[in-house]
Amino acid sequence: MTVSSAQREKTAAFNRMHTEGDVLLLPNCWDHASAALMAAAGFAAIATTSAGVAVANGAPDGENLSRAFQIGFAGGIANRTDLPVTADLEAGYGTEPEAVAATVAQAIAAGLVGCNIEDVVPGSGELMPFELAVARIEAGVAAARGAGVDFVLNARTDPYLVGHGDAEANFAEAVRRANAFLAAGAPSVYVPGVQDAATISRLVTTIDGPLNVHTVAGRAMPALAELRDLGVRRVSLGGSLMQAASTFVNATLAEIKAGDFGFAARAHSSRDLGGLMKPWLRR
């Protein structure tokens, strides 16, 4: 696989964002316009949201769109911005380690600097067996090393989301898996579904590497300053911004149905949006 020097530089820079400087605040896009808005807002990097991409293309989340589709979308974003782009690639599109290795290799070939890989069996709501979950991360890391890039495989573990057990059981399993993933070579680990500062603090002090947390629609989240003080290294939005946008549309449609068109006065103009997208078209 041939990797350009520009991609190598972006990947190395993205890797460093997990250990150097301020907290990596990572917005998740679901189409080209949302990605362009994020770039224009001055974020250091962009991620995709599998849930948002799925919904925007007529499917629920959970590998209902193919690996080729999700990587193709994320690669299209990466090829239209100078920012590092990482992708939510769900559970890797196959249970076996070889599937994760193929997913990582294809992500690198598409121009991406990282991806999330989760440890839930798609459609089951159950965690994969521990040994298999670790082997999958090992395979993904090996694929990245084989390509000679500092690709950020953000290893995600989901005890809190699937309800593995009570609070202590979820904590223990999240830490066990996160540390095993780090030992397998993952540069970063991701524990979604945790919103309270006390638990986040325990995770930071018990996990032996950079921790990614994320905002969840409908739940309160500590402010960035507090997360910074707790030692969190990466904060992503997941699908929550897309969900907030859909909530706005839903509420606005109710206003329109009632005869109120005030939303239009607050909207971006066609000229503004056209100007936003022009640089992307020329790439």
Side-chain angles (χ1 to χ4, degrees):
M1 180 191 306
T2 301
V3 180
S4 70
S5 59
Q7 184 180 349
R8 289 183 189 280
E9 291 170 5
K10 283 201 292 186
T11 306
F14 185 65
N15 196 305
R16 289 193 299 272
M17 291 176 194
H18 292 75
T19 56
E20 300 176 10
D22 201 2
V23 179
L24 172 57
L25 182 55
L26 195 59
N28 298 74
C29 68
W30 58 96
D31 61 13
H32 286 267
S34 59
L37 287 166
M38 292 165 186
F43 287 92
I46 299 172
T48 65
T49 160
S50 66
V53 175
V55 169
N57 288 278
D61 194 18
E63 297 196 2
N64 288 298
L65 297 180
S66 69
R67 169 168 56 195
F69 190 102
Q70 290 280 9
I71 291 178
F73 167 76
I77 300 294
N79 290 324
R80 287 170 173 79
T81 177
D82 293 328
L83 296 178
V85 177
T86 182
D88 179 353
L89 297 181
E90 307 187 81
Y93 307 97
T95 303
E96 296 306 311
E98 293 79 7
V100 175
T103 295
V104 168
Q106 290 176 36
I108 293 169
L112 300 172
V113 300
C115 73
N116 297 344
I117 297 292
E118 61 195 54
D119 62 355
V120 172
V121 178
S124 74
E126 296 180 0
L127 296 175
M128 294 180 183
F130 177 80
E131 293 79 7
L132 175 61
V134 175
R136 284 160 41 87
I137 298 305
E138 289 175 340
V141 169
R145 288 175 177 166
V149 292
D150 295 325
F151 188 83
V152 179
L153 198 169
N154 190 37
R156 171 176 150 173
T157 184
D158 282 5
Y160 287 96
L161 290 189
V162 304
H164 174 73
D166 62 17
E168 283 305 312
N170 289 339
F171 177 84
E173 190 63 17
V175 170
R176 179 170 84 119
R177 288 176 177 247
N179 281 335
F181 295 162
L182 289 164
S188 173
V189 290
Y190 181 15
V191 183
V194 181
Q195 310 301 125
D196 65 286
T199 302
I200 292 171
S201 179
R202 288 182 67 201
L203 288 169
V204 168
T205 57
T206 314
I207 290 173
D208 300 327
L211 175 64
N212 180 182
V213 298
H214 86 315
T215 57
V216 176
R219 300 186 196 175
M221 185 78 176
L224 180 61
E226 184 174 2
L227 292 172
R228 180 186 294 114
D229 291 342
L230 292 173
V232 169
R233 284 303 312 170
R234 170 167 158 171
V235 181
S236 53
L237 305 185
S240 63
L241 184 59
M242 176 274 297
Q243 291 167 278
S246 69
T247 301
F248 170 79
V249 171
N250 193 47
T252 303
L253 289 171
E255 294 173 1
I256 293 167
K257 194 172 181 181
D260 181 354
F261 303 111
F263 80 96
R266 303 186 297 271
H268 285 122
S269 70
S270 295
R271 184 188 297 270
D272 289 340
L273 289 178
L276 179 75
M277 301 310 300
K278 269 187 179 179
W280 291 50
L281 182 64
R282 289 198 296 268
R283 287 183 182 276

